[in-house]
PDB file of all heavy atoms in Angstrom:
ATOM      1  N   ASN A 673     109.493 145.762  73.602  1.00  0.00           N
ATOM      2  CA  ASN A 673     109.305 144.845  74.729  1.00  0.00           C
ATOM      3  C   ASN A 673     108.139 145.206  75.632  1.00  0.00           C
ATOM      4  O   ASN A 673     108.113 144.833  76.804  1.00  0.00           O
ATOM      5  CB  ASN A 673     110.595 144.761  75.545  1.00  0.00           C
ATOM      6  CG  ASN A 673     111.014 146.101  76.099  1.00  0.00           C
ATOM      7  OD1 ASN A 673     110.399 147.113  75.808  1.00  0.00           O
ATOM      8  ND2 ASN A 673     112.085 146.112  76.892  1.00  0.00           N
ATOM      9  N   ALA A 674     107.127 145.897  75.082  1.00  0.00           N
ATOM     10  CA  ALA A 674     105.899 146.138  75.840  1.00  0.00           C
ATOM     11  C   ALA A 674     104.752 145.445  75.114  1.00  0.00           C
ATOM     12  O   ALA A 674     104.626 145.537  73.891  1.00  0.00           O
ATOM     13  CB  ALA A 674     105.605 147.639  75.950  1.00  0.00           C
ATOM     14  N   LEU A 675     103.932 144.731  75.851  1.00  0.00           N
ATOM     15  CA  LEU A 675     102.856 143.944  75.266  1.00  0.00           C
ATOM     16  C   LEU A 675     101.596 144.114  76.120  1.00  0.00           C
ATOM     17  O   LEU A 675     101.639 143.898  77.342  1.00  0.00           O
ATOM     18  CB  LEU A 675     103.279 142.463  75.221  1.00  0.00           C
ATOM     19  CG  LEU A 675     102.218 141.444  74.821  1.00  0.00           C
ATOM     20  CD1 LEU A 675     101.756 141.687  73.389  1.00  0.00           C
ATOM     21  CD2 LEU A 675     102.790 140.022  74.954  1.00  0.00           C
ATOM     22  N   SER A 676     100.508 144.550  75.508  1.00  0.00           N
ATOM     23  CA  SER A 676      99.223 144.674  76.200  1.00  0.00           C
ATOM     24  C   SER A 676      98.155 144.025  75.329  1.00  0.00           C
ATOM     25  O   SER A 676      97.603 144.677  74.438  1.00  0.00           O
ATOM     26  CB  SER A 676      98.886 146.140  76.486  1.00  0.00           C
ATOM     27  OG  SER A 676      98.955 146.897  75.297  1.00  0.00           O
ATOM     28  N   PRO A 677      97.867 142.747  75.520  1.00  0.00           N
ATOM     29  CA  PRO A 677      96.965 141.994  74.642  1.00  0.00           C
ATOM     30  C   PRO A 677      95.609 142.681  74.437  1.00  0.00           C
ATOM     31  O   PRO A 677      95.011 142.561  73.369  1.00  0.00           O
ATOM     32  CB  PRO A 677      96.814 140.666  75.316  1.00  0.00           C
ATOM     33  CG  PRO A 677      98.080 140.493  76.105  1.00  0.00           C
ATOM     34  CD  PRO A 677      98.421 141.862  76.573  1.00  0.00           C
ATOM     35  N   ASN A 678      95.130 143.391  75.457  1.00  0.00           N
ATOM     36  CA  ASN A 678      93.824 144.041  75.334  1.00  0.00           C
ATOM     37  C   ASN A 678      93.939 145.555  75.134  1.00  0.00           C
ATOM     38  O   ASN A 678      92.966 146.290  75.288  1.00  0.00           O
ATOM     39  CB  ASN A 678      92.980 143.762  76.584  1.00  0.00           C
ATOM     40  CG  ASN A 678      92.760 142.280  76.807  1.00  0.00           C
ATOM     41  OD1 ASN A 678      92.492 141.543  75.849  1.00  0.00           O
ATOM     42  ND2 ASN A 678      92.895 141.824  78.041  1.00  0.00           N
ATOM     43  N   GLY A 679      95.142 146.004  74.816  1.00  0.00           N
ATOM     44  CA  GLY A 679      95.361 147.432  74.698  1.00  0.00           C
ATOM     45  C   GLY A 679      95.943 147.846  73.369  1.00  0.00           C
ATOM     46  O   GLY A 679      95.672 147.220  72.330  1.00  0.00           O
ATOM     47  N   ALA A 680      96.795 148.867  73.413  1.00  0.00           N
ATOM     48  CA  ALA A 680      97.329 149.457  72.181  1.00  0.00           C
ATOM     49  C   ALA A 680      98.406 148.623  71.534  1.00  0.00           C
ATOM     50  O   ALA A 680      98.701 148.785  70.350  1.00  0.00           O
ATOM     51  CB  ALA A 680      97.864 150.870  72.474  1.00  0.00           C
ATOM     52  N   ASN A 681      99.073 147.721  72.278  1.00  0.00           N
ATOM     53  CA  ASN A 681     100.177 146.891  71.747  1.00  0.00           C
ATOM     54  C   ASN A 681      99.826 145.429  71.954  1.00  0.00           C
ATOM     55  O   ASN A 681     100.333 144.761  72.850  1.00  0.00           O
ATOM     56  CB  ASN A 681     101.484 147.240  72.459  1.00  0.00           C
ATOM     57  CG  ASN A 681     101.847 148.710  72.328  1.00  0.00           C
ATOM     58  OD1 ASN A 681     101.960 149.222  71.217  1.00  0.00           O
ATOM     59  ND2 ASN A 681     101.971 149.392  73.457  1.00  0.00           N
ATOM     60  N   PRO A 682      98.954 144.898  71.106  1.00  0.00           N
ATOM     61  CA  PRO A 682      98.418 143.551  71.349  1.00  0.00           C
ATOM     62  C   PRO A 682      99.357 142.404  71.033  1.00  0.00           C
ATOM     63  O   PRO A 682      99.088 141.259  71.395  1.00  0.00           O
ATOM     64  CB  PRO A 682      97.174 143.497  70.449  1.00  0.00           C
ATOM     65  CG  PRO A 682      97.493 144.453  69.330  1.00  0.00           C
ATOM     66  CD  PRO A 682      98.307 145.539  69.934  1.00  0.00           C
ATOM     67  N   VAL A 683     100.472 142.691  70.336  1.00  0.00           N
ATOM     68  CA  VAL A 683     101.404 141.600  69.983  1.00  0.00           C
ATOM     69  C   VAL A 683     102.829 142.027  70.329  1.00  0.00           C
ATOM     70  O   VAL A 683     103.141 143.213  70.446  1.00  0.00           O
ATOM     71  CB  VAL A 683     101.314 141.231  68.492  1.00  0.00           C
ATOM     72  CG1 VAL A 683      99.910 140.784  68.130  1.00  0.00           C
ATOM     73  CG2 VAL A 683     101.733 142.415  67.611  1.00  0.00           C
ATOM     74  N   PHE A 684     103.668 141.017  70.470  1.00  0.00           N
ATOM     75  CA  PHE A 684     105.099 141.211  70.711  1.00  0.00           C
ATOM     76  C   PHE A 684     105.732 141.458  69.328  1.00  0.00           C
ATOM     77  O   PHE A 684     105.821 140.545  68.520  1.00  0.00           O
ATOM     78  CB  PHE A 684     105.672 139.989  71.401  1.00  0.00           C
ATOM     79  CG  PHE A 684     107.165 140.016  71.574  1.00  0.00           C
ATOM     80  CD1 PHE A 684     107.842 141.163  71.979  1.00  0.00           C
ATOM     81  CD2 PHE A 684     107.923 138.874  71.337  1.00  0.00           C
ATOM     82  CE1 PHE A 684     109.213 141.174  72.134  1.00  0.00           C
ATOM     83  CE2 PHE A 684     109.291 138.859  71.491  1.00  0.00           C
ATOM     84  CZ  PHE A 684     109.938 140.023  71.907  1.00  0.00           C
ATOM     85  N   THR A 685     106.166 142.712  69.082  1.00  0.00           N
ATOM     86  CA  THR A 685     106.664 143.079  67.767  1.00  0.00           C
ATOM     87  C   THR A 685     108.184 143.015  67.733  1.00  0.00           C
ATOM     88  O   THR A 685     108.861 143.608  68.576  1.00  0.00           O
ATOM     89  CB  THR A 685     106.213 144.507  67.406  1.00  0.00           C
ATOM     90  OG1 THR A 685     104.791 144.548  67.394  1.00  0.00           O
ATOM     91  CG2 THR A 685     106.732 144.913  66.030  1.00  0.00           C
ATOM     92  N   ILE A 686     108.689 142.284  66.695  1.00  0.00           N
ATOM     93  CA  ILE A 686     110.124 142.244  66.414  1.00  0.00           C
ATOM     94  C   ILE A 686     110.270 142.798  65.003  1.00  0.00           C
ATOM     95  O   ILE A 686     110.197 142.068  64.004  1.00  0.00           O
ATOM     96  CB  ILE A 686     110.692 140.827  66.533  1.00  0.00           C
ATOM     97  CG1 ILE A 686     110.280 140.185  67.845  1.00  0.00           C
ATOM     98  CG2 ILE A 686     112.209 140.847  66.379  1.00  0.00           C
ATOM     99  CD1 ILE A 686     110.685 138.723  67.963  1.00  0.00           C
ATOM    100  N   GLU A 687     110.446 144.113  64.910  1.00  0.00           N
ATOM    101  CA  GLU A 687     110.401 144.780  63.612  1.00  0.00           C
ATOM    102  C   GLU A 687     111.556 144.335  62.708  1.00  0.00           C
ATOM    103  O   GLU A 687     112.685 144.153  63.156  1.00  0.00           O
ATOM    104  CB  GLU A 687     110.479 146.298  63.829  1.00  0.00           C
ATOM    105  CG  GLU A 687     110.141 147.098  62.576  1.00  0.00           C
ATOM    106  CD  GLU A 687     110.005 148.574  62.860  1.00  0.00           C
ATOM    107  OE1 GLU A 687     110.527 149.034  63.896  1.00  0.00           O
ATOM    108  OE2 GLU A 687     109.385 149.260  62.022  1.00  0.00           O
ATOM    109  N   TYR A 688     111.203 144.130  61.416  1.00  0.00           N
ATOM    110  CA  TYR A 688     112.128 143.763  60.346  1.00  0.00           C
ATOM    111  C   TYR A 688     112.578 142.292  60.397  1.00  0.00           C
ATOM    112  O   TYR A 688     113.325 141.859  59.494  1.00  0.00           O
ATOM    113  CB  TYR A 688     113.379 144.650  60.327  1.00  0.00           C
ATOM    114  CG  TYR A 688     113.095 146.120  60.232  1.00  0.00           C
ATOM    115  CD1 TYR A 688     113.773 147.032  61.030  1.00  0.00           C
ATOM    116  CD2 TYR A 688     112.151 146.607  59.320  1.00  0.00           C
ATOM    117  CE1 TYR A 688     113.532 148.397  60.926  1.00  0.00           C
ATOM    118  CE2 TYR A 688     111.891 147.975  59.227  1.00  0.00           C
ATOM    119  CZ  TYR A 688     112.573 148.855  60.021  1.00  0.00           C
ATOM    120  OH  TYR A 688     112.341 150.204  59.946  1.00  0.00           O
ATOM    121  N   ILE A 689     112.156 141.515  61.365  1.00  0.00           N
ATOM    122  CA  ILE A 689     112.688 140.150  61.464  1.00  0.00           C
ATOM    123  C   ILE A 689     112.333 139.309  60.245  1.00  0.00           C
ATOM    124  O   ILE A 689     113.125 138.429  59.853  1.00  0.00           O
ATOM    125  CB  ILE A 689     112.191 139.473  62.779  1.00  0.00           C
ATOM    126  CG1 ILE A 689     113.003 138.191  63.030  1.00  0.00           C
ATOM    127  CG2 ILE A 689     110.695 139.189  62.730  1.00  0.00           C
ATOM    128  CD1 ILE A 689     112.781 137.601  64.394  1.00  0.00           C
ATOM    129  N   GLU A 690     111.184 139.589  59.630  1.00  0.00           N
ATOM    130  CA  GLU A 690     110.781 138.800  58.479  1.00  0.00           C
ATOM    131  C   GLU A 690     111.323 139.361  57.171  1.00  0.00           C
ATOM    132  O   GLU A 690     111.167 138.718  56.115  1.00  0.00           O
ATOM    133  CB  GLU A 690     109.248 138.726  58.412  1.00  0.00           C
ATOM    134  CG  GLU A 690     108.557 139.980  57.892  1.00  0.00           C
ATOM    135  CD  GLU A 690     108.371 141.042  58.975  1.00  0.00           C
ATOM    136  OE1 GLU A 690     109.070 141.029  60.016  1.00  0.00           O
ATOM    137  OE2 GLU A 690     107.528 141.928  58.754  1.00  0.00           O
ATOM    138  N   LEU A 691     111.987 140.522  57.207  1.00  0.00           N
ATOM    139  CA  LEU A 691     112.474 141.147  55.985  1.00  0.00           C
ATOM    140  C   LEU A 691     113.959 140.958  55.734  1.00  0.00           C
ATOM    141  O   LEU A 691     114.399 140.854  54.597  1.00  0.00           O
ATOM    142  CB  LEU A 691     112.163 142.665  56.025  1.00  0.00           C
ATOM    143  CG  LEU A 691     110.681 143.062  56.118  1.00  0.00           C
ATOM    144  CD1 LEU A 691     110.561 144.555  56.220  1.00  0.00           C
ATOM    145  CD2 LEU A 691     109.907 142.534  54.922  1.00  0.00           C
ATOM    146  N   ILE A 692     114.720 140.934  56.775  1.00  0.00           N
ATOM    147  CA  ILE A 692     116.186 140.861  56.632  1.00  0.00           C
ATOM    148  C   ILE A 692     116.589 139.405  56.344  1.00  0.00           C
ATOM    149  O   ILE A 692     116.196 138.491  57.078  1.00  0.00           O
ATOM    150  CB  ILE A 692     116.867 141.373  57.907  1.00  0.00           C
ATOM    151  CG1 ILE A 692     116.437 142.825  58.145  1.00  0.00           C
ATOM    152  CG2 ILE A 692     118.371 141.254  57.789  1.00  0.00           C
ATOM    153  CD1 ILE A 692     116.952 143.399  59.446  1.00  0.00           C
ATOM    154  N   PRO A 693     117.325 139.186  55.268  1.00  0.00           N
ATOM    155  CA  PRO A 693     117.715 137.804  54.931  1.00  0.00           C
ATOM    156  C   PRO A 693     118.390 137.065  56.082  1.00  0.00           C
ATOM    157  O   PRO A 693     118.162 135.862  56.249  1.00  0.00           O
ATOM    158  CB  PRO A 693     118.676 137.991  53.738  1.00  0.00           C
ATOM    159  CG  PRO A 693     118.241 139.282  53.116  1.00  0.00           C
ATOM    160  CD  PRO A 693     117.809 140.146  54.233  1.00  0.00           C
ATOM    161  N   GLU A 694     119.175 137.739  56.878  1.00  0.00           N
ATOM    162  CA  GLU A 694     119.871 137.074  57.975  1.00  0.00           C
ATOM    163  C   GLU A 694     118.956 136.700  59.134  1.00  0.00           C
ATOM    164  O   GLU A 694     119.324 135.891  59.972  1.00  0.00           O
ATOM    165  CB  GLU A 694     120.961 138.004  58.534  1.00  0.00           C
ATOM    166  CG  GLU A 694     122.177 138.170  57.631  1.00  0.00           C
ATOM    167  CD  GLU A 694     123.226 139.031  58.309  1.00  0.00           C
ATOM    168  OE1 GLU A 694     122.877 140.144  58.778  1.00  0.00           O
ATOM    169  OE2 GLU A 694     124.388 138.606  58.384  1.00  0.00           O
ATOM    170  N   THR A 695     117.743 137.312  59.184  1.00  0.00           N
ATOM    171  CA  THR A 695     116.874 137.071  60.339  1.00  0.00           C
ATOM    172  C   THR A 695     115.577 136.355  59.990  1.00  0.00           C
ATOM    173  O   THR A 695     114.813 136.002  60.901  1.00  0.00           O
ATOM    174  CB  THR A 695     116.546 138.399  61.032  1.00  0.00           C
ATOM    175  OG1 THR A 695     115.801 139.237  60.121  1.00  0.00           O
ATOM    176  CG2 THR A 695     117.821 139.119  61.456  1.00  0.00           C
ATOM    177  N   LYS A 696     115.306 136.141  58.704  1.00  0.00           N
ATOM    178  CA  LYS A 696     114.022 135.553  58.313  1.00  0.00           C
ATOM    179  C   LYS A 696     113.865 134.141  58.895  1.00  0.00           C
ATOM    180  O   LYS A 696     112.769 133.754  59.326  1.00  0.00           O
ATOM    181  CB  LYS A 696     113.893 135.494  56.785  1.00  0.00           C
ATOM    182  CG  LYS A 696     113.717 136.876  56.162  1.00  0.00           C
ATOM    183  CD  LYS A 696     113.706 136.809  54.651  1.00  0.00           C
ATOM    184  CE  LYS A 696     112.487 136.058  54.135  1.00  0.00           C
ATOM    185  NZ  LYS A 696     112.403 136.140  52.669  1.00  0.00           N
ATOM    186  N   ASN A 697     114.938 133.361  58.888  1.00  0.00           N
ATOM    187  CA  ASN A 697     114.910 132.010  59.479  1.00  0.00           C
ATOM    188  C   ASN A 697     115.314 132.142  60.937  1.00  0.00           C
ATOM    189  O   ASN A 697     116.489 132.360  61.252  1.00  0.00           O
ATOM    190  CB  ASN A 697     115.820 131.061  58.723  1.00  0.00           C
ATOM    191  CG  ASN A 697     115.390 130.884  57.271  1.00  0.00           C
ATOM    192  OD1 ASN A 697     114.209 130.830  57.003  1.00  0.00           O
ATOM    193  ND2 ASN A 697     116.363 130.795  56.369  1.00  0.00           N
ATOM    194  N   ASN A 698     114.362 132.040  61.815  1.00  0.00           N
ATOM    195  CA  ASN A 698     114.621 132.328  63.224  1.00  0.00           C
ATOM    196  C   ASN A 698     113.828 131.410  64.134  1.00  0.00           C
ATOM    197  O   ASN A 698     112.928 130.690  63.686  1.00  0.00           O
ATOM    198  CB  ASN A 698     114.268 133.807  63.526  1.00  0.00           C
ATOM    199  CG  ASN A 698     112.809 134.104  63.228  1.00  0.00           C
ATOM    200  OD1 ASN A 698     111.917 133.647  63.937  1.00  0.00           O
ATOM    201  ND2 ASN A 698     112.546 134.857  62.158  1.00  0.00           N
ATOM    202  N   SER A 699     114.166 131.506  65.407  1.00  0.00           N
ATOM    203  CA  SER A 699     113.440 130.770  66.443  1.00  0.00           C
ATOM    204  C   SER A 699     113.287 131.704  67.647  1.00  0.00           C
ATOM    205  O   SER A 699     114.276 132.281  68.110  1.00  0.00           O
ATOM    206  CB  SER A 699     114.194 129.504  66.848  1.00  0.00           C
ATOM    207  OG  SER A 699     113.543 128.864  67.910  1.00  0.00           O
ATOM    208  N   VAL A 700     112.038 131.895  68.115  1.00  0.00           N
ATOM    209  CA  VAL A 700     111.761 132.796  69.212  1.00  0.00           C
ATOM    210  C   VAL A 700     111.156 131.990  70.376  1.00  0.00           C
ATOM    211  O   VAL A 700     110.205 131.202  70.161  1.00  0.00           O
ATOM    212  CB  VAL A 700     110.810 133.934  68.787  1.00  0.00           C
ATOM    213  CG1 VAL A 700     110.462 134.822  69.981  1.00  0.00           C
ATOM    214  CG2 VAL A 700     111.424 134.753  67.668  1.00  0.00           C
ATOM    215  N   THR A 701     111.700 132.202  71.566  1.00  0.00           N
ATOM    216  CA  THR A 701     111.216 131.495  72.741  1.00  0.00           C
ATOM    217  C   THR A 701     110.902 132.515  73.836  1.00  0.00           C
ATOM    218  O   THR A 701     111.678 133.462  74.033  1.00  0.00           O
ATOM    219  CB  THR A 701     112.258 130.487  73.256  1.00  0.00           C
ATOM    220  OG1 THR A 701     112.622 129.604  72.191  1.00  0.00           O
ATOM    221  CG2 THR A 701     111.701 129.675  74.415  1.00  0.00           C
ATOM    222  N   ILE A 702     109.786 132.320  74.536  1.00  0.00           N
ATOM    223  CA  ILE A 702     109.361 133.191  75.639  1.00  0.00           C
ATOM    224  C   ILE A 702     109.381 132.363  76.933  1.00  0.00           C
ATOM    225  O   ILE A 702     108.866 131.219  76.983  1.00  0.00           O
ATOM    226  CB  ILE A 702     107.945 133.760  75.397  1.00  0.00           C
ATOM    227  CG1 ILE A 702     107.842 134.429  74.018  1.00  0.00           C
ATOM    228  CG2 ILE A 702     107.577 134.749  76.502  1.00  0.00           C
ATOM    229  CD1 ILE A 702     108.724 135.601  73.821  1.00  0.00           C
ATOM    230  N   PHE A 703     109.991 132.953  78.008  1.00  0.00           N
ATOM    231  CA  PHE A 703     110.096 132.296  79.303  1.00  0.00           C
ATOM    232  C   PHE A 703     109.417 133.152  80.372  1.00  0.00           C
ATOM    233  O   PHE A 703     109.345 134.376  80.258  1.00  0.00           O
ATOM    234  CB  PHE A 703     111.567 132.122  79.728  1.00  0.00           C
ATOM    235  CG  PHE A 703     112.413 131.359  78.710  1.00  0.00           C
ATOM    236  CD1 PHE A 703     113.082 132.039  77.701  1.00  0.00           C
ATOM    237  CD2 PHE A 703     112.520 129.975  78.793  1.00  0.00           C
ATOM    238  CE1 PHE A 703     113.854 131.358  76.777  1.00  0.00           C
ATOM    239  CE2 PHE A 703     113.305 129.301  77.872  1.00  0.00           C
ATOM    240  CZ  PHE A 703     113.974 129.983  76.866  1.00  0.00           C
ATOM    241  N   ASP A 704     108.919 132.456  81.423  1.00  0.00           N
ATOM    242  CA  ASP A 704     108.415 133.239  82.560  1.00  0.00           C
ATOM    243  C   ASP A 704     109.613 133.552  83.482  1.00  0.00           C
ATOM    244  O   ASP A 704     110.762 133.198  83.179  1.00  0.00           O
ATOM    245  CB  ASP A 704     107.301 132.504  83.290  1.00  0.00           C
ATOM    246  CG  ASP A 704     107.746 131.181  83.900  1.00  0.00           C
ATOM    247  OD1 ASP A 704     108.979 130.969  84.070  1.00  0.00           O
ATOM    248  OD2 ASP A 704     106.890 130.355  84.234  1.00  0.00           O
ATOM    249  N   ARG A 705     109.364 134.197  84.593  1.00  0.00           N
ATOM    250  CA  ARG A 705     110.469 134.636  85.462  1.00  0.00           C
ATOM    251  C   ARG A 705     111.190 133.478  86.159  1.00  0.00           C
ATOM    252  O   ARG A 705     112.249 133.665  86.741  1.00  0.00           O
ATOM    253  CB  ARG A 705     109.968 135.617  86.490  1.00  0.00           C
ATOM    254  CG  ARG A 705     108.879 135.090  87.401  1.00  0.00           C
ATOM    255  CD  ARG A 705     108.459 136.171  88.376  1.00  0.00           C
ATOM    256  NE  ARG A 705     107.346 135.737  89.234  1.00  0.00           N
ATOM    257  CZ  ARG A 705     106.879 136.446  90.237  1.00  0.00           C
ATOM    258  NH1 ARG A 705     107.427 137.602  90.518  1.00  0.00           N
ATOM    259  NH2 ARG A 705     105.871 136.000  90.968  1.00  0.00           N
ATOM    260  N   TRP A 706     110.611 132.270  86.104  1.00  0.00           N
ATOM    261  CA  TRP A 706     111.280 131.087  86.690  1.00  0.00           C
ATOM    262  C   TRP A 706     111.994 130.274  85.612  1.00  0.00           C
ATOM    263  O   TRP A 706     112.360 129.146  85.813  1.00  0.00           O
ATOM    264  CB  TRP A 706     110.237 130.212  87.402  1.00  0.00           C
ATOM    265  CG  TRP A 706     109.621 130.935  88.584  1.00  0.00           C
ATOM    266  CD1 TRP A 706     110.187 131.152  89.796  1.00  0.00           C
ATOM    267  CD2 TRP A 706     108.337 131.532  88.621  1.00  0.00           C
ATOM    268  NE1 TRP A 706     109.355 131.836  90.633  1.00  0.00           N
ATOM    269  CE2 TRP A 706     108.168 132.116  89.908  1.00  0.00           C
ATOM    270  CE3 TRP A 706     107.294 131.696  87.733  1.00  0.00           C
ATOM    271  CZ2 TRP A 706     107.019 132.789  90.308  1.00  0.00           C
ATOM    272  CZ3 TRP A 706     106.144 132.355  88.126  1.00  0.00           C
ATOM    273  CH2 TRP A 706     106.028 132.901  89.403  1.00  0.00           C
TER     274      TRP A 706
END
């Protein structure tokens, strides 16, 4: 849950989400604080 687009962590990583059969079909949504 740390993201620094211009730094060492340029993407939001969800490890294994594309590998596990139960999680490959997914939907991810990002919200601001409001």
Side-chain angles (χ1 to χ4, degrees):
N673 60 356
L675 172 64
S676 53
N678 300 318
N681 303 302
V683 300
F684 174 43
T685 300
I686 309 174
E687 192 172 20
Y688 304 136
I689 193 169
E690 77 278 20
L691 299 177
I692 301 174
E694 288 184 309
T695 63
K696 290 175 65 174
N697 297 322
N698 59 71
S699 176
V700 177
T701 306
I702 308 297
F703 304 91
D704 63 18
R705 59 180 176 174
W706 295 284

